[in-house]
């Protein structure tokens, strides 16, 4: 028996949880690298928290295919609405964050900002690997990669729909092999980092699309869709990364950890997509946190500089207090961005469509 994923109405809550966890893990990672925050025995794991960006792209591809799998985006009206939703969902908040950063924290000259302007507006900054540390791009690079993935999604969708199951597995294996091997090339020849490269992030997104399109047999789905399976997956993820860090295996080369995280993130997504939990499903708090997760990612663009000033001004040196304040500060910024920008834009889009 093959499970029809379109009938899995409970899947959203589990995936919402995964999205929120990914956003929080990236914040804790920033706490570790910017403030040397200590997380006890989990410090090694948190120090590689950037790998959760891989989870973010895989999850984005999975959710988008799940949302549109019964629809066709070939016709002009559907394609137009698809792109409008993506533009209204991403650009307003991104532009607000970009402008606020340039005005308040930016160190570039007026001339440099004018040169960057068309690149930033079109979301092309991830094509230039050396722009990662420039202006706000250290916190907004993922939007550029996501835009490329969204642009290609209608084509991805049509191709995947026409694939046989065997072809899907082969495509999944090829994409995974490329992501496994490419960081070795970077390490061996000291090339530019591929961490913010739209091609490789697009492959992670496509893996999510393929994962969603694959038929899951009833027996396997029942084994995966349990809290026990999720616990095993989490333990393997934490143990795998922690041991690799302790052995000093490619520490800091986040894409090389795809060998560990891609298989485990894939299993986690399948587990959380099938997990039946009335408590999660009925949680209004979880739904809100998930809806604000995009703003939470972008809020981290400001967090570090504000925290450095705040900790120095108030002479805050306590490790736990610093972590708590970082999370609280990011949450306040995220809620403000979500309420003042995202929600009004969503209402505007709803009226337009």
């Amino acid at each position: 028996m093959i499970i029809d994923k379109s009938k899995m109405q409970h899947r959203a809550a589990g995936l919402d949880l995964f999205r929120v966890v990914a956003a929080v893990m990236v914040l804790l990672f920033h706490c570790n690298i910017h403030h040397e925050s200590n997380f006890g025995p989990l410090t090694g794991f948190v120090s590689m928290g950037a790998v959760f960006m891989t989870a973010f792209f895989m999850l984005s591809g999975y959710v988008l295919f799940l949302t549109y799998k019964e629809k066709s985006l070939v016709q002009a009206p559907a394609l137009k609405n698809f792109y409008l939703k993506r533009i209204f969902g991403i650009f307003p908040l991104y532009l607000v964050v970009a402008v606020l950063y340039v005005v308040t924290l930016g160190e570039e000259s007026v001339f440099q900002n004018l040169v960057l302007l068309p690149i930033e507006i079109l979301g092309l900054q991830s094509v230039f690997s050396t722009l990662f540390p420039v202006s706000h791009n250290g916190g907004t690079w993922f939007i550029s990669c996501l835009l490329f993935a969204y642009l290609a999604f209608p084509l991805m969708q049509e191709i995947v729909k026409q694939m046989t199951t065997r072809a899907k597995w082969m495509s999944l294996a090829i994409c995974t092999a490329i992501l496994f091997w490419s960081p070795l090339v970077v390490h061996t020849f000291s090339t530019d980092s591929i961490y913010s490269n739209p091609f490789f992030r697009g492959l992670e997104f496509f893996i999510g699309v393929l994962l969603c399109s694959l038929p899951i047999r009833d027996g396997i789905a029942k084994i995966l869709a349990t809290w026990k399976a999720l616990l095993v997956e989490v333990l393997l993820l934490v143990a795998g990364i922690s041991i690799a860090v302790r052995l000093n295996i490619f520490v800091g080369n986040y894409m090389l950890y795809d060998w560990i995280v891609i298989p485990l993130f894939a299993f986690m997504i399948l587990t959380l997509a099938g997990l039946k939990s009335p408590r999660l499903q009925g949680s209004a708090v979880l739904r809100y946190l998930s809806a604000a997760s995009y703003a939470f990612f972008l809020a981290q663009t400001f967090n570090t500089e504000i925290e450095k000033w705040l900790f120095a001004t108030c002479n805050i040196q306590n490790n736990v207090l610093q972590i708590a304040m970082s999370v609280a500060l990011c949450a306040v910024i995220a809620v403000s961005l979500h309420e003042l920008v995202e929600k009004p834009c969503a209402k505007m889009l709803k009226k337009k469509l």
Side-chain angles (χ1 to χ4, degrees):
M1 177 183 176
I2 303 297
I3 285 191
D4 180 3
K5 292 179 184 174
S6 65
K7 296 179 180 179
M8 295 165 56
Q9 297 300 321
H10 55 275
R11 97 280 177 187
L15 298 180
D16 284 346
L17 178 63
F18 194 44
R19 186 180 293 108
V20 172
V21 169
V24 172
M25 283 305 306
V26 172
L27 173 63
L28 298 182
F29 158 73
H30 286 149
C31 290
N32 176 258
I33 62 171
H34 293 305
H35 308 304
E36 298 183 352
S37 298
N38 187 289
F39 295 87
L42 293 177
T43 299
F45 174 69
V46 175
S47 72
M48 296 297 290
V51 299
F52 276 85
M53 291 309 300
T54 294
F56 171 78
F57 283 100
M58 290 175 63
L59 181 63
S60 296
Y62 188 98
V63 170
L64 207 58
F65 188 83
L66 193 61
T67 302
Y68 288 95
K69 64 180 296 184
E70 303 299 334
K71 302 174 184 178
S72 174
L73 298 177
V74 176
Q75 291 78 18
L79 191 62
K80 176 185 175 183
N81 285 344
F82 172 79
Y83 284 131
L84 277 176
K85 285 183 178 179
R86 307 284 81 75
I87 290 171
F88 271 79
I90 287 182
F91 265 102
L93 187 55
Y94 160 64
L95 293 176
V96 167
V97 167
V99 171
L100 284 175
Y101 187 93
V102 169
V103 172
T104 60
L105 299 173
E107 298 179 353
E108 289 70 31
S109 67
V110 174
F111 175 74
Q112 288 175 323
N113 282 317
L114 288 175
V115 172
L116 283 173
L117 185 60
I119 300 300
E120 303 284 3
I121 290 177
L122 294 173
L124 298 176
Q125 59 267 44
S126 63
V127 177
F128 303 87
S129 59
T130 50
L131 282 182
F132 183 90
V134 176
S135 189
H136 55 80
N137 290 318
T140 61
W141 64 269
F142 74 96
I143 297 174
S144 176
C145 294
L146 201 59
L147 285 172
F148 280 99
Y150 284 162
L151 184 64
F153 176 75
L155 179 60
M156 288 183 188
Q157 181 200 43
E158 289 304 314
I159 292 174
V160 169
K161 282 183 176 180
Q162 297 178 40
M163 281 182 173
T164 62
T165 299
R166 182 179 180 182
K168 291 175 183 178
W169 280 112
M170 289 179 63
S171 299
L172 188 63
I174 291 170
C175 290
T176 303
I178 292 172
L179 287 167
F180 280 3
W181 204 256
S182 297
L184 290 174
V185 176
V186 173
H187 176 76
T188 303
F189 296 97
S190 300
T191 68
D192 289 337
S193 171
I194 59 174
Y195 179 75
S196 59
N197 188 298
F199 172 75
F200 295 102
R201 293 303 184 176
L203 287 182
E204 293 172 349
F205 181 91
F206 189 50
I207 285 175
V209 171
L210 288 167
L211 198 63
C212 185
S213 71
L214 286 168
I216 307 297
R217 294 193 174 277
D218 189 33
I220 297 175
K222 286 183 178 179
I223 294 173
L224 286 175
T226 62
W227 288 108
K228 289 182 180 179
L230 181 62
L231 178 61
V232 171
E233 292 155 5
V234 170
L235 289 175
L236 287 174
L237 180 70
V238 174
I241 293 177
S242 298
I243 291 171
V245 170
R246 183 176 290 273
L247 296 176
N248 199 32
I249 300 175
F250 301 120
V251 175
N253 194 336
Y254 309 114
M255 298 299 280
L256 261 168
Y257 277 63
D258 279 352
W259 288 79
I260 299 172
V261 302
I262 285 181
L264 288 171
F265 283 154
F267 279 115
M268 286 181 184
I269 289 172
L270 291 176
T271 293
L272 290 166
L275 194 64
K276 295 180 179 179
S277 174
R279 179 175 294 181
L280 288 181
Q281 186 66 24
S283 174
V285 173
L286 180 59
R287 284 197 298 273
Y288 184 87
L289 292 176
S290 178
S293 60
Y294 172 54
F296 193 84
F297 273 112
L298 285 178
Q300 296 176 46
T301 306
F302 303 98
N303 244 42
T304 301
E305 296 303 322
I306 297 176
E307 288 163 1
K308 286 180 179 178
W309 172 82
L310 189 61
F311 296 162
T313 302
C314 301
N315 194 28
I316 299 173
Q317 299 179 5
N318 182 274
N319 179 66
V320 175
L321 183 58
Q322 285 187 349
I323 295 171
M325 290 184 68
S326 295
V327 175
L329 176 63
C330 193
V332 169
I333 297 173
V335 169
S336 300
L337 292 173
H338 181 61
E339 293 292 333
L340 298 176
V341 182
E342 281 193 293
K343 278 191 172 182
C345 288
K347 290 180 180 178
M348 189 185 304
L349 176 64
K350 189 174 181 181
K351 290 180 180 178
K352 186 173 181 61
L353 296 181

